[in-house]
Amino acid sequence: MKAPKSLFQRLLGGLLLVMLAIWLVIVAMAIYDNTVVQARNTDAENKGLAKQILLNMVALSGKPEEMARAAEGIEELRRSTIKEMNRMPRPALLQVWQGTQRIHLSQYYLPSGLGVPQQNGGTLGDHWVSFSASDPATGITVRRDAMHDSRWLFTGAGASYYLAPLLYSLPFLILPAWIIVRRGLQPVSRIVNAIEERSASDLSPLPPSPYRELSPLVASVNSLMERLIARVERDKEFLTDAAHELKTPLSVIQLNAHLLLNQQDDLQRLQEADAGLRQGVARATHTVHQLLALERARSDQEDGAMLEMDLARFLRDRLAQAAPVAMQRGVEIELDAATPCPLLLHRESAASLLDNIIDNAIKYSPDKARVTLSLQNDGQQIRLTISDQGAGIPASLRDKVFERFFRLPGQQQPGSGLGLAIARQAAARNGATITLTDGLQGQGLTVMVEFSVRQAA
């Protein structure tokens, strides 16, 4: 198994890389200074000194001995100045000519075997800078050559000169960096320890972090805790609901199963027990399906992708599924939905929404009644209305029927009281609202579901 990466090593390595990058920049600047800037400074030095000596030589024109002494004196003054500045003088060559006669020649630290160029000859080599200053009236020429050698940078001595400070200072840089990174990661370690020390049932929020960088992490963990708490509560509710609602049909099943075993001689009692057993199984099956649908509607609040769908076409598909039940009771279904209604919908929850309100409209309508559906798109909202001719729901109970397991007093139709609770959950998943009003001409019930067109793709 591959070992996990270390954030501590990542941060410490990043600091060391920054230090190395800074050192490389310093070395690059030093190389540039020795190869470009120093060459430019050497050229400026040659120009200044050659012109200064030329001025003195013109004043002493025709006096070779005095000209030589003056040139030597100026050079000596320059050397003493460099010595006082504690600088290393570079190899240099000074020549003074008058016409074709060389009056003065001075050499400083010249490499052995180096030939002296003539008055108008080329430079001494690639690492030499030359400058000549002339006075046409007197024929005096002053030439100065100075060596600018940057090759030492690429020798062992040059490399050690720049590498030694890095090697000497590296231990003193690593230790503070190690301490800083280690202490900087301690708040993260405290958060990890706070989580690890908790029991599996402790989902209380973490205390807020005083550090700006860790506050989003703590907030995300606390948000996850809240969602887990809500999920656990839903699971508890589901188990409680399942136990409560399945208790009655299971008792009926148990009782009728007992009668079937003990009433072998009474045919009528056997038939009643068989019918009761079948009804208990049917009710238990329906309750289980409704509970699962309710839990799925709750879970869909967090999961599932939204797809672009035509609500009118989707509604026709759901009506086709419900048609056999309506035909058995002679219930006529009318649909007015000519306009396409594109929406972003969650397919499973939208199907659950339509199936429940269509099933209720058919189930609570009398035989040979009419169920009317209308789908309208006004550009702002898409409105679906379903009207039946059943007994309706009193206005005072229209909010309460959305509660789980609530059934109208005196209701004769079998059911679990979960249909409208599932419908409301599914409507919320699709950004819709569901309301109950009077039916057509004051008879029955109208269910109105309104979708926002802002969801349309």
Side-chain angles (χ1 to χ4, degrees):
M1 181 178 179
K2 187 177 180 180
K5 297 180 179 180
S6 171
L7 182 60
F8 173 79
Q9 294 178 359
R10 180 184 178 91
L11 294 176
L12 186 60
L15 287 176
L16 294 178
L17 287 177
V18 170
M19 296 175 189
L20 179 61
I22 293 174
W23 176 78
L24 291 175
V25 170
I26 294 174
V27 172
M29 292 176 62
I31 293 174
Y32 175 81
D33 180 76
N34 280 274
T35 56
V36 178
V37 177
Q38 292 299 327
R40 187 167 56 242
N41 293 341
T42 302
D43 183 61
E45 179 184 345
N46 284 344
K47 290 179 180 179
L49 187 59
K51 291 179 179 180
Q52 177 186 3
I53 294 176
L54 178 63
L55 291 175
N56 288 273
M57 297 300 99
V58 170
L60 299 173
S61 178
K63 302 176 181 179
E65 295 180 358
E66 294 183 13
M67 291 170 64
R69 285 195 300 269
E72 183 65 27
I74 294 173
E75 277 287 280
E76 182 61 32
L77 179 61
R78 176 185 169 277
R79 287 197 298 273
S80 61
T81 302
I82 291 177
K83 186 177 180 180
E84 291 177 0
M85 296 172 62
N86 199 24
R87 291 172 52 191
M88 179 66 69
R90 62 173 58 90
L93 176 67
L94 177 66
Q95 300 181 72
V96 179
W97 295 74
Q98 188 165 23
T100 58
Q101 178 185 3
R102 182 164 60 190
I103 297 174
H104 177 70
L105 172 65
S106 59
Q107 305 179 42
Y108 310 103
Y109 310 107
L110 291 183
S112 59
L114 186 66
V116 178
Q118 296 300 313
Q119 178 180 355
N120 297 318
T123 59
L124 299 178
D126 294 337
H127 300 280
W128 286 81
V129 178
S130 302
F131 182 79
S132 297
S134 301
D135 180 54
T138 60
I140 297 175
T141 300
V142 178
R143 170 173 172 158
R144 190 171 191 275
D145 299 80
M147 188 177 187
H148 168 65
D149 191 359
S150 59
R151 290 174 296 181
W152 71 276
L153 289 171
F154 306 102
T155 63
S160 63
Y161 177 80
Y162 286 102
L163 189 60
L166 177 66
L167 296 178
Y168 294 153
S169 62
L170 198 57
F172 300 99
L173 294 174
I174 291 178
L175 181 60
W178 186 88
I179 295 174
I180 292 171
V181 174
R182 176 65 66 181
R183 290 183 61 85
L185 292 176
Q186 283 182 352
V188 180
S189 300
R190 285 195 289 267
I191 293 176
V192 172
N193 293 334
I195 296 175
E196 289 182 346
E197 292 173 357
R198 294 187 174 205
S199 64
S201 60
D202 185 2
L203 297 178
S204 59
L206 295 173
S209 174
Y211 301 99
R212 182 172 62 251
E213 293 79 8
L214 295 179
S215 294
L217 173 62
V218 174
S220 298
V221 172
N222 289 339
S223 177
L224 176 60
M225 295 287 194
E226 292 177 1
R227 295 195 297 273
L228 288 175
I229 291 173
R231 190 65 175 264
V232 170
E233 291 299 323
R234 287 203 305 269
D235 292 342
K236 289 181 179 178
E237 288 181 5
F238 177 77
L239 292 175
T240 302
D241 295 342
H244 178 269
E245 287 303 307
L246 290 176
K247 180 172 61 177
T248 300
L250 290 177
S251 298
V252 172
I253 293 172
Q254 184 180 16
L255 175 61
N256 286 280
H258 179 74
L259 290 175
L260 285 174
L261 292 175
N262 294 280
Q263 298 292 332
Q264 300 294 332
D265 299 331
D266 192 337
L267 181 60
Q268 181 179 358
R269 295 294 299 273
L270 284 174
Q271 291 176 345
E272 291 176 353
D274 179 67
L277 182 62
R278 293 176 184 275
Q279 290 177 359
V281 172
R283 181 178 176 182
T285 302
H286 177 73
T287 301
V288 169
H289 288 167
Q290 290 291 81
L291 285 169
L292 292 175
L294 178 63
E295 179 62 17
R296 187 162 51 247
R298 290 171 174 172
S299 300
D300 285 343
Q301 297 293 329
E302 300 176 0
D303 305 320
M306 306 290 283
L307 302 175
E308 183 180 359
M309 301 172 58
D310 181 5
L311 182 59
R313 182 176 180 180
F314 190 56
L315 179 59
R316 293 188 184 96
D317 292 340
R318 306 320 299 177
L319 287 174
Q321 297 286 335
V325 178
M327 293 174 63
Q328 288 178 0
R329 300 185 53 216
V331 175
E332 181 182 353
I333 300 177
E334 293 183 358
L335 172 62
D336 179 14
T339 304
C341 299
L343 279 175
L344 286 177
L345 296 174
H346 179 261
R347 184 180 182 88
E348 295 298 328
S349 61
S352 180
L353 167 64
L354 297 179
D355 289 348
N356 274 281
I357 57 180
I358 292 172
D359 179 70
N360 282 350
I362 295 173
K363 181 168 63 175
Y364 294 108
S365 291
D367 292 346
K368 301 186 183 304
R370 176 181 298 174
V371 174
T372 304
L373 294 91
S374 174
L375 191 62
Q376 299 175 344
N377 185 356
D378 61 7
Q380 297 295 326
Q381 287 183 327
I382 294 177
R383 184 179 295 107
L384 169 65
T385 58
I386 302 178
S387 301
D388 61 47
Q389 295 178 331
I393 298 175
S396 59
L397 297 178
R398 287 174 183 170
D399 288 333
K400 197 166 183 63
V401 292
F402 288 104
E403 297 178 4
R404 293 177 294 112
F405 308 116
F406 178 80
R407 304 199 70 210
L408 292 176
Q411 181 60 253
Q412 299 299 319
Q413 291 287 350
S416 60
L418 290 173
L420 288 177
I422 295 171
R424 172 170 280 186
Q425 291 279 358
R429 175 65 179 87
N430 291 275
T433 59
I434 181 170
T435 55
L436 305 180
T437 59
D438 292 333
L440 299 177
Q441 300 177 350
Q443 180 184 1
L445 180 71
T446 295
V447 180
M448 181 182 298
V449 184
E450 294 179 319
F451 298 86
S452 173
V453 176
R454 289 177 299 176
Q455 293 186 16

